Amino acid sequence: MAARLCGALLIVFLYGLDAYSNRPAVNQELSNLFNELWRLDGNRMKPGADYNISVQGRAGFVSPGSLLVQDHASLPLFSSVDEIKLRNSTTFSRFMTLLDNYERSTGVSERVTSEELTEISLFLDAVLQTDVMKRAHQYLVSKRQSSSDLRLFKNQLNLIWFHLYRRQRNSGMDSCGFEHVFVGETKSGTEIIGFHNWIQFYLQEKNNHLDYKGYKARDHDLPDQDDHVLNLQFSWHNLVNPVGSAFIGTSPEFEMALFTVIFLMSTERSSTVLVNIDQCQVELVVIRQGRSLGTAYPKLLSSNSRHVRPPSH
């Protein structure tokens, strides 16, 4: 089966919304741009060649904050990943150096060392050299949302993704967009928040900090090993995430480019953009924290090109 962007149909689980109500119109301009970025993502890992996943069983219902969960996946999600290829990719390798820079718990102030600032700078330099981010930058310049000056655009990315802020009241600077989206955090010692990245998932699973419990999908939309978006249930450091979404196999620059474009094209605190990418229809959600990113994640609505086919009678 040819690799495709999506397969598992994400349940809309936040705020109790129905996936099929209040849906915005498809943003064709951003669909076109994001499909272009998808094709330009030369660092994307290929399923069956660069990595293999085992989706196993369907996860059950878990109420938020509960530590009780039934395991419907006796094996890890990732059965193999070509780590040599990962480490030979500049953006992936520099991305991975950032993953151990953060305090997991919100409410605990982050201390950023000069070495960590250098790691951030080198990562952004690598991202800016990719075709994906070059095209995203070109688009943002055309929309007058970014300067054509690469140094200023790098500063803009740094502010959006790495600027520290307070996620928890009465605490110090304890969070940033990069940490929340790509690394994951825990809140009040009872819940997992953020954590929407497959590399972090794989590494935490490999180091026995994370246990995959199964996939979440509607009855008629089952994931397989080729899917590039999955809806997952897992435990991490003994806390349970009832359902969380992540791209699988995509590069850091692809995910950053998508969410940066949406962040800069809207001034709303919460933005939801409906786009068609590859064979799926997906909502991309971006929530601001001042001039920085609070969170960003994909919500898969339709896969296997179902949204372009007329309903059967």
Side-chain angles (χ1 to χ4, degrees):
M1 181 186 294
R4 60 182 182 275
L5 175 64
C6 58
L9 180 62
L10 285 180
I11 300 169
V12 178
F13 56 92
L14 294 176
Y15 317 116
L17 291 177
D18 187 299
Y20 297 96
S21 64
N22 303 317
R23 187 181 299 180
V26 171
N27 186 316
Q28 195 55 54
E29 181 175 323
L30 289 185
S31 292
N32 293 341
L33 174 66
F34 295 163
N35 274 291
E36 190 177 349
L37 299 183
W38 173 255
R39 293 189 293 270
L40 287 171
D41 191 12
N43 283 331
R44 186 173 68 245
M45 303 283 277
K46 296 176 178 60
D50 302 323
Y51 69 90
N52 289 281
I53 61 173
S54 176
V55 294
Q56 301 167 78
R58 184 193 305 274
F61 173 78
V62 175
S63 56
S66 174
L67 300 181
L68 299 175
V69 58
Q70 188 172 354
D71 197 339
H72 293 271
S74 58
L75 301 173
L77 174 63
F78 288 93
S79 50
S80 68
V81 174
D82 186 345
E83 290 196 26
I84 294 175
K85 182 168 182 177
L86 272 184
R87 298 186 188 283
N88 284 339
S89 162
T90 306
T91 53
F92 274 121
S93 62
R94 293 185 181 177
F95 172 84
M96 289 188 287
T97 66
L98 303 176
L99 296 177
D100 64 355
N101 289 355
Y102 298 97
E103 295 286 346
R104 190 165 63 250
S105 300
T106 57
V108 178
S109 297
E110 298 289 347
R111 292 184 176 86
V112 184
T113 67
S114 58
E115 180 184 2
E116 289 169 352
L117 288 173
T118 299
E119 290 174 353
I120 291 169
S121 181
L122 290 172
F123 169 68
L124 289 174
D125 286 342
V127 164
L128 287 166
Q129 290 173 18
T130 64
D131 290 340
V132 169
M133 193 57 83
K134 285 178 181 177
R135 179 66 185 97
H137 182 208
Q138 182 184 52
Y139 176 82
L140 289 166
V141 171
S142 75
K143 296 295 183 179
R144 299 185 177 180
Q145 299 303 315
S146 297
S147 169
S148 59
D149 186 322
L150 210 57
R151 181 180 57 85
L152 294 179
F153 183 52
K154 179 182 176 181
N155 290 342
Q156 191 177 32
L157 290 176
N158 190 65
L159 174 62
I160 293 169
W161 288 95
F162 292 98
H163 175 72
L164 292 176
Y165 51 74
R166 290 180 179 85
R167 190 172 292 275
Q168 190 164 307
R169 289 180 180 178
N170 304 319
S171 72
M173 301 300 187
D174 64 340
S175 186
C176 69
F178 181 90
E179 177 188 10
H180 185 83
V181 174
F182 291 118
V183 185
E185 301 178 280
T186 60
K187 180 180 177 182
S188 306
T190 60
E191 62 179 305
I192 298 166
I193 57 174
F195 203 133
H196 298 288
N197 181 255
W198 74 275
I199 295 289
Q200 172 72 337
F201 193 104
Y202 162 68
L203 293 173
Q204 292 295 300
E205 186 176 59
K206 176 186 173 185
N207 291 321
N208 298 316
H209 300 313
L210 182 152
D211 186 18
Y212 171 60
K213 303 297 185 182
Y215 68 86
K216 299 288 285 186
R218 292 178 184 267
D219 290 339
H220 59 278
D221 197 356
L222 305 180
D224 64 29
Q225 66 274 10
D226 285 343
D227 296 337
H228 277 289
V229 175
L230 287 178
N231 198 28
L232 309 165
Q233 187 177 97
F234 60 94
S235 63
W236 184 44
H237 292 283
N238 299 316
L239 299 180
V240 177
N241 191 348
V243 58
S245 57
F247 289 102
I248 307 291
T250 49
S251 69
E253 59 266 26
F254 176 79
E255 296 179 45
M256 287 185 75
L258 262 60
F259 294 130
T260 297
V261 166
I262 295 169
F263 180 92
L264 289 172
M265 292 302 294
S266 172
T267 57
E268 299 294 323
R269 182 180 180 273
S270 178
S271 301
T272 300
V273 176
L274 180 62
V275 291
N276 295 330
I277 308 177
D278 193 48
Q279 296 182 32
C280 78
Q281 190 165 87
V282 61
E283 281 185 349
L284 298 174
V285 179
V286 170
I287 298 176
R288 310 174 74 88
Q289 186 87 15
R291 293 195 297 159
S292 301
L293 186 73
T295 190
Y297 54 88
K299 251 199 276 189
L300 193 58
L301 300 182
S302 173
S303 64
N304 304 320
S305 299
R306 239 189 308 279
H307 54 285
V308 298
R309 294 197 295 266
S312 57
H313 297 288

